[in-house]
Amino acid sequence: MNFSRNYIKGWMMMSCGLGGSLIPSISLQAQEAEKPNIIFIMADDHANRAISAYGGGINNTPNIDRIANEGAIFRNNFCANSICGPSRASILTGKHSHKNGVTGNASAWNGKQILLPRVMKEAGYNTALIGKWHLNSNPGNEFDYWKILMGAGRQGFYYNPDFVTSEGKTVMMKGYSTDLITDEALGWLDKKREEEKPFMLFVQYKAPHVPRMPEFRFMDRYVNDTIPEPKTLFDDYESRSPYLEQANMKIGKRIKTLPLLEDHDPSENIYYARMTKEQLEKWHSFKDPETKRILKLKQEGKLAGKEKKRLAYQMFIKDYLRCIDGVDENVGRLLAWLDQHQQIKENTIIVYSSDQSYFTGQHGWAEKRFMYEDGMRMPLVMRWPKKIKAGTEVKDLVQNIDFAPSFLDMAGVEIPDQMQGESVLKLVSGEKNSDWRKSLYYHYYDHGKHNVPRHEGVRSDRYKLIHYYTDDVWEFYDLKKDADELHNLYGNSRYKKEIKQLKKELYRLRKQYEVPDDHFKAPYVGVGHHKK
């Protein structure tokens, strides 16, 4: 039915005055039943390259792929500020960082502003959040129920993590974070949700964020494999800004090994201190052979130069993929629940994303923050049997500020004017949308963290312009000819017209999104990239 909520309420009042007819009440219930449920699954630092649906060629993620194959895959989805807290804030608010107040991980969180879950709740949805929250105050009344990871700077622990509940209790749960989050999510679906209401459930994993600690059942994977290296693992940063060389995120700068079991004092590290004696011994049964191999290579003088970086990359990427294997398996558990509840499945939107992508060796890095493709890009796959045709591919430029307005639009809820994103409903429904954006705005604020300076930029379907405004340094890339962003073409006379056009677009987007002018004045300019 397409009646508005106010119209139905008015009809109910009129009908009650004419004899108390129950027909309008039944109609309202029918309308509520037609609203789609939404399960939003989000990992932390999951690179597109490590999802087989994106063709990375380094691992298999059959369950995440299933969502893509049975629904839609977004080929050009990006974040507005590539860092955990700010991306999560943009997803919840539909606004850029300067508007929602979360410009860095240390920023205060204003939970009283207009938020996706609160608007959904006010529209009749049963809302819940389980897992990693990572904003600097706990959720409030926007969720009917929440249970969030706590500890380790609000990042949470992998083994035997603490959870804080909406009742104000802190509980330590025995087990592995990714599994426990899924257990709690399934428990909410089975026993705690209000069955007469449509629901929106946020399932948010810590994995594969540092420190990457896979569950034991995945620890023997990839041991004898060689994971393909990205083409730019040994990037020399020639022709580009000094910031790339000076960033503190290089793989192989040093190789840290875990002490052997007999030498290991777990109390010296908060993550190992969480483990039981049995868990610690089991962990060492996998890690001690690795430690012995590295110590032997050091003694033989074979751990230097490119070989050192290659080994460091293999160590990093294997634990990274093992954590992702745990996420994918648990996505499969959520899909299995839907398979067992076919009526719910047909009208449930299930989404998989990450708060940002991750440099998995590209440019020799393991981090995010920079506006280069593998930091700015985000995975996004979505299934909705009632509305999205299997095998749908969206190539339009989409951003995390679009998530909130999209879910509201799909639920038939009015999108608040304050939200800066756009709904992707037409994009996944196969409708033509000639008015869709042609460029994206990006702004990183956490100046000096990992020795990465503040910068902003604009990305079109082909070109990218980056402005390190602290020192007024520019970079320009032709992504069609240089997908790996190895050749800074700023100042190249052949691209004079394109650079001028993109600068104009950058200033237009600043105005459109109401970026304050004082961001580009003292104390943020002329300070040198390494200074805070």
Side-chain angles (χ1 to χ4, degrees):
M1 298 183 71
N2 296 316
F3 297 125
S4 71
R5 180 177 293 273
N6 289 335
Y7 181 88
I8 292 174
K9 286 182 177 177
W11 186 19
M12 287 176 67
M13 291 175 65
M14 181 180 70
S15 299
C16 288
L18 294 174
S21 170
L22 295 176
I23 295 175
S25 178
I26 294 170
S27 298
L28 181 58
Q29 290 174 2
Q31 188 196 39
E32 294 292 344
E34 288 178 3
K35 288 181 177 292
N37 307 301
I38 302 172
I39 299 177
F40 177 69
I41 310 168
M42 183 163 67
D44 193 310
D45 292 346
H46 192 172
N48 296 51
R49 178 175 178 244
I51 296 175
S52 43
Y54 282 99
I58 62 172
N59 66 328
N60 290 305
T61 51
N63 295 298
I64 298 170
D65 291 3
R66 182 183 166 193
I67 298 174
N69 296 335
E70 296 176 1
I73 184 169
F74 291 75
R75 294 291 180 185
N76 291 299
N77 176 50
F78 299 87
C79 62
N81 182 358
S82 186
I83 184 171
C84 302
S87 181
R88 291 162 189 270
S90 287
I91 288 169
L92 289 167
T93 64
K95 298 186 290 189
H96 280 278
S97 298
H98 63 278
K99 282 290 188 180
N100 62 49
V102 183
T103 55
N105 280 341
S107 299
W109 168 241
N110 173 17
K112 294 182 179 179
Q113 62 187 306
I114 292 175
L115 303 176
L116 164 65
R118 183 176 292 119
V119 178
M120 295 291 280
K121 183 179 174 182
E122 290 171 352
Y125 271 74
N126 192 194
T127 58
L129 164 71
I130 297 165
K132 184 171 179 178
W133 175 241
H134 201 199
L135 292 167
N136 286 317
S137 57
N138 290 348
N141 65 359
E142 65 269 32
F143 296 102
D144 294 300
Y145 176 84
W146 52 266
K147 192 167 187 176
I148 61 172
L149 285 174
M150 193 55 69
R154 289 183 170 265
Q155 294 276 1
F157 298 97
Y158 276 108
Y159 281 89
N160 308 326
D162 288 334
F163 285 87
V164 175
T165 71
S166 45
E167 292 83 22
K169 298 178 181 178
T170 299
V171 292
M172 178 179 174
M173 299 185 69
K174 177 76 176 294
Y176 185 71
S177 169
T178 307
D179 298 337
L180 292 170
I181 290 168
T182 309
D183 291 344
E184 291 295 310
L186 294 174
W188 183 84
L189 287 168
D190 281 330
K191 299 175 182 178
K192 295 180 180 178
R193 68 183 173 90
E194 301 174 53
E195 294 187 10
E196 71 279 5
K197 290 184 178 182
F199 64 82
M200 182 166 195
L201 171 62
F202 294 74
V203 184
Q204 303 188 169
Y205 299 116
K206 173 185 172 72
H209 194 280
V210 292
R212 286 170 277 272
M213 298 177 71
E215 211 285 331
F216 297 124
R217 64 186 182 276
F218 302 108
M219 290 289 283
D220 59 356
R221 294 191 179 186
Y222 313 110
V223 172
N224 298 315
D225 296 339
T226 300
I227 309 299
E229 299 170 356
K231 291 186 292 184
T232 59
L233 180 64
F234 298 101
D235 192 350
D236 60 8
Y237 314 118
E238 187 180 354
S239 90
R240 283 152 292 160
S241 309
Y243 316 123
L244 286 79
E245 170 63 38
Q246 295 164 355
N248 294 331
M249 54 179 69
K250 292 188 182 67
I251 293 173
K253 193 171 184 181
R254 57 177 182 161
I255 296 180
K256 287 185 68 176
T257 55
L258 185 69
L260 297 173
L261 177 60
E262 59 267 26
D263 302 320
H264 189 196
D265 180 358
S267 66
E268 294 178 353
N269 181 290
I270 58 173
Y271 295 96
Y272 293 112
R274 309 290 298 186
M275 287 182 157
T276 65
K277 182 176 182 292
E278 292 76 19
Q279 287 172 334
L280 190 67
E281 289 175 351
K282 193 169 184 180
W283 183 263
H284 276 276
S285 72
F286 291 104
K287 286 297 182 179
D288 280 5
E290 180 178 84
T291 296
K292 290 176 181 178
R293 182 166 62 97
I294 292 166
L295 292 174
K296 185 173 185 292
L297 288 170
K298 281 183 178 179
Q299 290 171 355
E300 295 172 350
K302 296 179 180 177
L303 203 61
K306 285 191 173 183
E307 290 311 307
K308 179 182 177 183
K309 177 169 275 193
R310 284 199 165 99
L311 176 61
Y313 168 75
Q314 292 298 324
M315 291 171 62
F316 146 68
I317 198 68
K318 288 177 182 180
D319 276 342
Y320 182 84
L321 295 180
R322 290 164 183 147
C323 288
I324 288 168
D325 287 346
V327 171
D328 187 72
E329 182 183 275
N330 278 279
V331 170
R333 293 176 64 198
L334 292 165
L335 290 171
W337 187 91
L338 288 172
D339 288 340
Q340 293 161 10
H341 298 79
Q342 282 294 321
Q343 190 172 357
I344 296 175
K345 173 185 174 180
E346 288 305 306
N347 199 28
T348 294
I349 303 164
I350 186 164
V351 179
Y352 183 85
S353 187
S354 175
D355 52 359
Q356 63 266 320
S357 188
Y358 204 74
F359 293 106
T360 54
Q362 297 92 339
H363 308 292
W365 295 333
E367 246 292 327
K368 53 256 187 181
R369 302 173 188 269
F370 276 115
M371 192 187 166
Y372 305 114
E373 287 294 278
D374 298 289
M376 182 185 182
R377 190 177 290 276
M378 292 171 66
L380 179 61
V381 295
M382 180 185 302
R383 185 186 76 183
W384 186 8
K386 268 195 172 184
K387 297 285 185 180
I388 301 176
K389 184 179 178 182
T392 296
E393 190 173 25
V394 179
K395 295 182 179 180
D396 302 84
L397 295 174
V398 174
Q399 204 161 24
N400 56 354
I401 60 170
D402 299 327
F403 287 23
S406 298
F407 296 144
L408 292 172
D409 195 18
M410 291 171 182
V413 179
E414 186 176 353
I415 301 168
D417 292 338
Q418 293 92 331
M419 290 189 175
Q420 296 180 309
E422 303 290 337
S423 170
V424 303
L425 181 55
K426 286 186 177 179
L427 302 183
V428 296
S429 300
E431 299 180 43
K432 289 185 177 180
N433 192 345
S434 57
D435 294 330
W436 191 256
R437 68 166 68 91
K438 300 297 188 291
S439 65
L440 297 168
Y441 181 73
Y442 181 90
H443 200 142
Y444 173 78
Y445 293 89
D446 231 3
H447 187 72
K449 300 295 175 63
H450 287 265
N451 216 24
V452 177
R454 290 169 70 116
H455 59 282
E456 63 162 353
V458 57
R459 187 199 191 280
S460 69
D461 61 344
R462 176 167 177 173
Y463 301 111
K464 181 183 291 183
L465 182 71
I466 304 173
H467 185 206
Y468 296 98
Y469 56 86
T470 55
D471 303 303
D472 197 28
V473 172
W474 296 82
E475 292 182 352
F476 176 84
Y477 297 97
D478 183 341
L479 299 173
K480 184 177 181 180
K481 294 182 178 180
D482 179 24
D484 295 318
E485 297 166 298
L486 295 174
H487 307 289
N488 176 19
L489 299 172
Y490 188 80
N492 187 312
S493 59
R494 287 181 294 176
Y495 287 92
K496 185 177 181 180
K497 178 181 176 183
E498 289 80 4
I499 292 170
K500 183 178 180 181
Q501 287 176 338
L502 225 54
K503 274 193 176 183
K504 184 177 179 181
E505 181 65 2
L506 176 63
Y507 301 141
R508 186 192 72 79
L509 290 174
R510 273 192 201 171
K511 185 175 180 180
Q512 175 185 329
Y513 293 124
E514 300 177 330
V515 183
D517 290 339
D518 63 11
H519 284 7
F520 310 100
K521 299 176 182 178
Y524 305 116
V525 297
V527 296
H529 76 280
H530 60 287
K531 298 176 184 177
K532 295 184 181 179

